[in-house]
Amino acid sequence: MGNYDKEINRRRTFAIISHPDAGKTTLTEKFLLYGGAINLAGSVKGKATARHAVSDWMEIEKERGISVTSSVLQFEYDGFCINILDTPGHQDFSEDTYRTLMAADSAVMVIDASKGVEAQTRKLFKVCGMRGIPIFTFINKMDRDANDTFELLDDIEKELGIETCPINWPIGSGKGFKGVYDRKRKCVITYSDTEKGTKEGASKEIDSNDKEGLLEAIGEDALGTLNDEIELLDGAAADFDIDQVRNGKLTPVFFGSALTNFGVQFFLEHFLEMTTTPLSRKSDAGVISPAEHDFSAFVFKIQANMNKAHRDRVAFMRICSGKYEASMEVKHVQGNRVMRLSQPQQIMADERKILDEAYAGDIIGVFDPGVFSIGDTLCMPKEEFRYEGIPTFAPEHFARVRQIDTMKRKQFVKGVEQIAQEGAIQIFREFNTGMEEIIVGVVGVLQFDVLKYRLENEYNVEIKLEPLPYEHIRWITSTDTDLDSIVGTSDMKKVTDLKDHPLLLFVNPWSVKMVLDRNEGLTLEEFGRN
Ligand code: G4P
């Protein structure tokens, strides 16, 4: 298996996270300039197309100017093979984002220098924290007036509870932005406002001992401030410690401007040096190490209708160990069957390329005839283990959903079930009412619109959604509980999920406790399992 080592060790797989508009897309585009993009899946919003993704898979994205789906990009740079997992910024799609983070080995957090830590960053960061993966911070838009640098760092430390270590330091901001100071090499790199879309060019490097050169480049005032700030920083900031970075306890911080392409290559080079090779993953058979194990992968995302020309469903998997070779037989553990992955592919924005091979760290998309669910494991036929599940988040909004044309019952049920398998919504059936009503639960209300839109456009079924007041969901985990005999409260509803697991919905949080008190032996859990 030693021959995998080289390919695996040159892989770097990371997620890029930010609050909407901080500049994630612009930064990603600039990364791609430094290497040939060899794989694009989903969306990169091009500058020319303003707010639109290259591959908006749904009109809804265009209408609302948001990126609904996560996408995957692969490119080569300096001998590295880099996989970027883009995450949708809109809070309503947080669940998809959480899953995407599960597939990454580190995260790059983009922060708008004039805004600091924003709501969405905070949320995403929590998930990174849960996994203990390394986090790298790029403070963007230094070409605009920025908050005080120390305040920005303080904000990250306080809001996110992680120590910061600036790798470079900005000299001014906005119209007065003069460049950055490289703390390791002790030199100033002057700001050059290169044209959009070009590589970094005309920056100059001036050694910190070259007083004359510095005075000429950044002026007396800026130099005085820089000297003071560096002195303060050297005394106060955490020392760089790669182990702390790898454990997600310390975030290296970089300053730059993605739009004008300043500081991007500096970031990329330092990042690649500091981030990790594909990480080992936990399974029920112990820790699986990427280079010391044959092929294995897990499904972290299922997406339908990615490309209107191909009406299909694609399961995205993260390869966790070994090498995937075309037409190889693999075992789908949860489905308990051996199969060949149907046309594993790299998916370009407008074209698809069948893959011959892929390695641990890579993300592949395979056609899914409806067999995969989020969290499923694939491994070699002779083996059987399961990767740790991806947590599902408890839905907080519920609605009863009905098709308007009763003749379309079949398409309606098929559509709702397929969309639920993709993990975009959760569906529940009322227990024992005989009415065959479907209740939909979502984490963010925008998903209701997505459901309506997709049923109309993909399944030709119009629906009516009737909001329900439930906010609290509990799966029944005690195995000997008879659903019929549960003594409930007036605000409680008994339902079953897609996999026929029984659960209870409540309007009031205190009813949960009351029901537990009234039913001896009953145990409830807030999170479902994939
Ligand atoms: P996102 O993916 O995180 O949502 O952000 P995106 O890259 O789309 O950037 C959001 C806006 O911020 C864009 O402007 C973009 O041009 C701008 N921007 C990104 N990086 C920088 C930077 O370093 N400096 C400055 N000054 N602006 C930056 P927009 O007006 O919303 O879009 P557009 O009309 O320019 O496309």
Side-chain angles (χ1 to χ4, degrees), residues 21-26 47 51 140-141 143-144 257-259:
D21 276 346
K24 183 167 58 103
T25 312
T26 313
K47 294 250 59 71
R51 311 296 310 157
N140 191 30
K141 305 198 186 180
D143 59 308
R144 288 213 185 133
S257 160
L259 185 67

Side-chain angles (χ1 to χ4, degrees), residues 348-382:
M348 302 284 291
D350 48 7
E351 129 193 12
R352 296 170 175 207
K353 190 174 122 205
I354 305 295
L355 278 173
D356 294 327
E357 55 178 48
Y359 293 87
D362 288 342
I363 311 295
I364 56 172
V366 304
F367 280 114
D368 173 19
V371 297
F372 296 118
S373 290
I374 306 272
D376 285 1
T377 299
L378 290 104
C379 57
M380 296 306 280
K382 60 180 189 321

Side-chain angles (χ1 to χ4, degrees), residues 17-29 45-51 86-87 89 110 112 138-144 191 196 256-262:
I17 63 177
S18 76
H19 190 84
D21 276 346
K24 183 167 58 103
T25 312
T26 313
L27 183 65
T28 308
E29 282 170 356
K45 289 176 284 174
K47 294 250 59 71
T49 49
R51 311 296 310 157
D86 187 16
T87 54
V110 185
D112 183 331
F138 185 83
I139 300 193
N140 191 30
K141 305 198 186 180
M142 291 307 300
D143 59 308
R144 288 213 185 133
Y191 176 55
K196 288 181 193 176
S257 160
L259 185 67
T260 57
N261 207 7
F262 180 78

Side-chain angles (χ1 to χ4, degrees), residues 232-250:
L232 195 61
L233 181 68
D234 287 346
D239 287 335
F240 182 77
D241 176 342
I242 193 72
D243 291 331
Q244 293 283 78
V245 174
R246 296 262 162 92
N247 293 328
K249 302 262 184 286
L250 176 75

Side-chain angles (χ1 to χ4, degrees), residues 130-302:
M130 256 157 61
R131 290 202 50 220
I133 57 174
I135 295 162
F136 298 83
T137 306
F138 185 83
I139 300 193
N140 191 30
K141 305 198 186 180
M142 291 307 300
D143 59 308
R144 288 213 185 133
D145 289 341
N147 292 358
D148 176 80
T149 316
F150 285 104
E151 272 173 28
L152 280 166
L153 297 181
D154 220 36
D155 198 27
I156 296 171
E157 300 205 346
K158 283 210 187 89
E159 288 266 4
L160 308 177
I162 186 169
E163 283 202 273
T164 58
C165 178
I167 305 300
N168 61 24
W169 188 260
I171 305 163
S173 71
K175 287 204 172 61
F177 186 44
K178 305 276 193 233
V180 290
Y181 174 73
D182 178 342
R183 292 183 68 204
K184 190 164 161 211
R185 291 174 50 233
K186 299 200 188 314
C187 65
V188 165
I189 304 165
T190 58
Y191 176 55
S192 78
D193 180 350
T194 55
E195 280 174 45
K196 288 181 193 176
T198 59
K199 290 193 183 185
E200 255 162 302
S203 293
K204 266 193 297 185
E205 266 186 37
I206 305 163
D207 191 273
S208 60
N209 291 321
D210 180 2
K211 293 280 176 307
E212 290 288 303
L214 286 178
L215 272 175
E216 195 184 321
I218 65 172
E220 200 177 339
D221 287 355
L223 184 59
T225 310
L226 176 67
N227 285 336
D228 291 348
E229 288 182 342
I230 294 301
E231 197 184 323
L232 195 61
L233 181 68
D234 287 346
D239 287 335
F240 182 77
D241 176 342
I242 193 72
D243 291 331
Q244 293 283 78
V245 174
R246 296 262 162 92
N247 293 328
K249 302 262 184 286
L250 176 75
T251 179
V253 180
F254 301 79
F255 294 84
S257 160
L259 185 67
T260 57
N261 207 7
F262 180 78
V264 176
Q265 191 169 16
F266 183 96
F267 173 78
L268 190 59
E269 285 177 356
H270 285 78
F271 165 72
L272 289 170
E273 205 177 283
M274 294 174 189
T275 189
T276 71
T277 54
L279 295 172
S280 297
R281 304 244 159 191
K282 280 190 202 144
S283 79
D284 60 1
V287 172
I288 308 287
S289 156
E292 285 158 20
H293 207 277
D294 286 330
F295 170 81
S296 70
F298 74 91
V299 178
F300 67 95
K301 174 183 170 63
I302 295 175

